Amino acid sequence: MNLRDVFVVNVCSIFCLLLSYGDCNNSEFFQSNHTNNWAVIVDTSRFWFNYRHVANALSFYRSVKRLGIPDSQIILMLADDMACNPRNPQAASVYNNANEEIDVYGDDVEVDYRGYEVTVENFIRVLTGRLPENTPRSKRLLTDERSNVLIYMTGHGGDGFLKFQDTEELSSDELGDAFGQMYEKLRYHEMLFIIDTCQAASMLHRFYSPNVVGIASSRVGEDSLSHHIDPAIGVYVIDRYTYYALEFLERVKSQGTETLAQFFAVCPREKCKSTVTTRTDLFQRDPRKVLVTDFFGSVRNIEYSMDPVTPLQKHHGSAVDGQIKDESADNISYSYLSQFPSF
């Protein structure tokens, strides 16, 4: 074995260790087959006493950004602007913990739909792509058949519905049909749907599209409870399920090996005070072998090979009638197009 072979073997060994896959088998890396990640994060509640729902949504927003999904691939819908609410003692800030260690509003939040733009109609239009022609790119879910999509929703709900703005409701039938349209229009590869609301499991019952996995913070007939209050703010700042989900996500790294099955178990009943429910019958992969970052991150797969690669021989010219024509002598000048061309 020469020096070059030793170098290649060492590099491959280090690569395997970094990715925490002992046998470095290709099948262990590329199971999802998706090429891009998107997230739709929705808070459906208005009014100051629903502060926690905005904090829930912003907390998930912060997590997916930290793990690599860019703002250009996140649709953030906030029904109320708690950061600018006159009751907020911490102006221009939103906290999800009484210690106020992390301002989840921060200085780089890009809200795509805010206030009265957060409606059932707009939400369905975003998912199905049926938006007016003049809708800006930042408000569009530009997914395709290789997109893994994370949808997180929080607010007040009941048996078979989720309230929007206290004025209208999204039904479980409407949600299931929206996912059905997305499947027919090749708008996702796999989808993870998470909902934190009372009787949340009822919103999973009408799903029928393939490759959709659902997580609900409570069963039918159960309330989804708040976690704790911040005395300085005077209201609850986060819900129980979201609190423990974020506690798990904060430990996840972009190259982590945490699985979806582990994520299912983040909030047992003794912590949540409700029964977290999952639906996996439509999902074609084993959640124990699905990485959390398949939905929460934006990791680009890198293919490697242990086989030697022979580079193509370079030649300056083209083949004409079996003969190589040398084009190096041709004096061809190139120039860049103007950044702002005039027509």
Side-chain angles (χ1 to χ4, degrees), residues 130-161:
R130 296 181 173 181
L131 291 163
E133 292 183 0
N134 61 350
T135 302
R137 184 183 181 88
S138 62
K139 292 190 172 187
R140 294 178 180 268
L141 185 68
L142 301 174
T143 53
D144 55 38
E145 69 275 13
R146 288 301 179 188
S147 302
N148 272 13
V149 182
L150 165 69
I151 300 178
Y152 171 83
M153 304 188 76
T154 181
H156 290 291
D159 189 356
F161 67 90

Side-chain angles (χ1 to χ4, degrees), residues 43-161:
D43 153 53
T44 65
S45 299
R46 292 184 65 82
F47 310 120
W48 175 248
F49 55 84
N50 290 320
Y51 179 103
R52 66 190 182 279
H53 294 154
V54 176
N56 289 346
L58 288 172
S59 298
F60 263 81
Y61 170 81
R62 176 181 176 275
S63 291
V64 297
K65 282 189 67 173
R66 181 182 65 82
L67 291 171
I69 302 182
D71 265 317
S72 58
Q73 292 169 214
I74 301 173
I75 302 296
L76 179 60
M77 309 178 78
L78 298 181
D80 207 343
D81 192 354
M82 296 303 176
C84 298
N85 192 298
R87 295 185 181 182
N88 190 351
Q90 306 286 354
S93 300
V94 175
Y95 295 97
N96 62 1
N97 194 290
N99 296 328
E100 298 185 0
E101 295 177 352
I102 300 175
D103 177 10
V104 292
Y105 195 79
D107 56 2
D108 61 347
V109 173
E110 295 186 15
V111 183
D112 301 294
Y113 293 81
R114 66 172 68 243
Y116 290 109
E117 290 182 315
V118 182
T119 63
V120 173
E121 178 182 353
N122 282 344
F123 174 69
I124 297 295
R125 286 185 178 276
V126 166
L127 295 186
T128 59
R130 296 181 173 181
L131 291 163
E133 292 183 0
N134 61 350
T135 302
R137 184 183 181 88
S138 62
K139 292 190 172 187
R140 294 178 180 268
L141 185 68
L142 301 174
T143 53
D144 55 38
E145 69 275 13
R146 288 301 179 188
S147 302
N148 272 13
V149 182
L150 165 69
I151 300 178
Y152 171 83
M153 304 188 76
T154 181
H156 290 291
D159 189 356
F161 67 90

Side-chain angles (χ1 to χ4, degrees), residues 50-298:
N50 290 320
Y51 179 103
R52 66 190 182 279
H53 294 154
V54 176
N56 289 346
L58 288 172
S59 298
F60 263 81
Y61 170 81
R62 176 181 176 275
S63 291
V64 297
K65 282 189 67 173
R66 181 182 65 82
L67 291 171
I69 302 182
D71 265 317
S72 58
Q73 292 169 214
I74 301 173
I75 302 296
L76 179 60
M77 309 178 78
L78 298 181
D80 207 343
D81 192 354
M82 296 303 176
C84 298
N85 192 298
R87 295 185 181 182
N88 190 351
Q90 306 286 354
S93 300
V94 175
Y95 295 97
N96 62 1
N97 194 290
N99 296 328
E100 298 185 0
E101 295 177 352
I102 300 175
D103 177 10
V104 292
Y105 195 79
D107 56 2
D108 61 347
V109 173
E110 295 186 15
V111 183
D112 301 294
Y113 293 81
R114 66 172 68 243
Y116 290 109
E117 290 182 315
V118 182
T119 63
V120 173
E121 178 182 353
N122 282 344
F123 174 69
I124 297 295
R125 286 185 178 276
V126 166
L127 295 186
T128 59
R130 296 181 173 181
L131 291 163
E133 292 183 0
N134 61 350
T135 302
R137 184 183 181 88
S138 62
K139 292 190 172 187
R140 294 178 180 268
L141 185 68
L142 301 174
T143 53
D144 55 38
E145 69 275 13
R146 288 301 179 188
S147 302
N148 272 13
V149 182
L150 165 69
I151 300 178
Y152 171 83
M153 304 188 76
T154 181
H156 290 291
D159 189 356
F161 67 90
L162 176 65
K163 293 171 66 176
F164 271 65
Q165 308 265 10
D166 268 354
T167 60
E168 57 179 345
E169 299 170 353
L170 170 71
S171 71
S172 56
D173 292 286
E174 291 171 319
L175 185 62
D177 288 341
F179 291 170
Q181 290 184 49
M182 292 180 71
Y183 174 73
E184 294 294 335
K185 298 171 73 173
L186 304 179
R187 288 181 58 81
Y188 73 89
H189 174 62
E190 293 175 333
M191 184 186 301
L192 173 61
F193 177 76
I194 304 173
I195 183 166
D196 190 353
T197 184
C198 296
Q199 307 195 62
S202 64
M203 296 299 289
L204 312 180
H205 291 170
R206 299 299 184 181
F207 294 173
Y208 54 84
S209 305
N211 282 333
V212 177
V213 57
I215 305 176
S217 62
S218 56
R219 291 192 305 192
V220 176
E222 291 182 344
D223 292 333
S224 184
L225 303 177
S226 305
H227 188 267
H228 69 274
I229 194 171
D230 182 347
I233 297 175
V235 292
Y236 285 94
V237 292
I238 195 168
D239 283 325
R240 283 184 172 271
Y241 173 76
T242 298
Y243 178 87
Y244 291 107
L246 293 172
E247 188 177 60
F248 174 87
L249 291 173
E250 285 297 307
R251 299 192 297 269
V252 176
K253 307 300 181 184
S254 59
Q255 296 289 350
T257 58
E258 292 84 357
T259 66
L260 207 54
Q262 291 175 304
F263 185 66
F264 288 168
V266 296
C267 195
R269 184 172 177 81
E270 60 267 20
K271 290 183 177 180
C272 265
K273 310 303 180 184
S274 61
T275 308
V276 175
T277 304
T278 60
R279 182 173 177 187
T280 59
D281 58 296
L282 299 171
F283 200 57
Q284 297 178 2
R285 293 198 288 155
D286 184 349
R288 295 172 297 180
K289 298 180 180 179
V290 178
L291 296 178
V292 168
T293 50
D294 280 357
F295 294 98
F296 285 91
S298 187

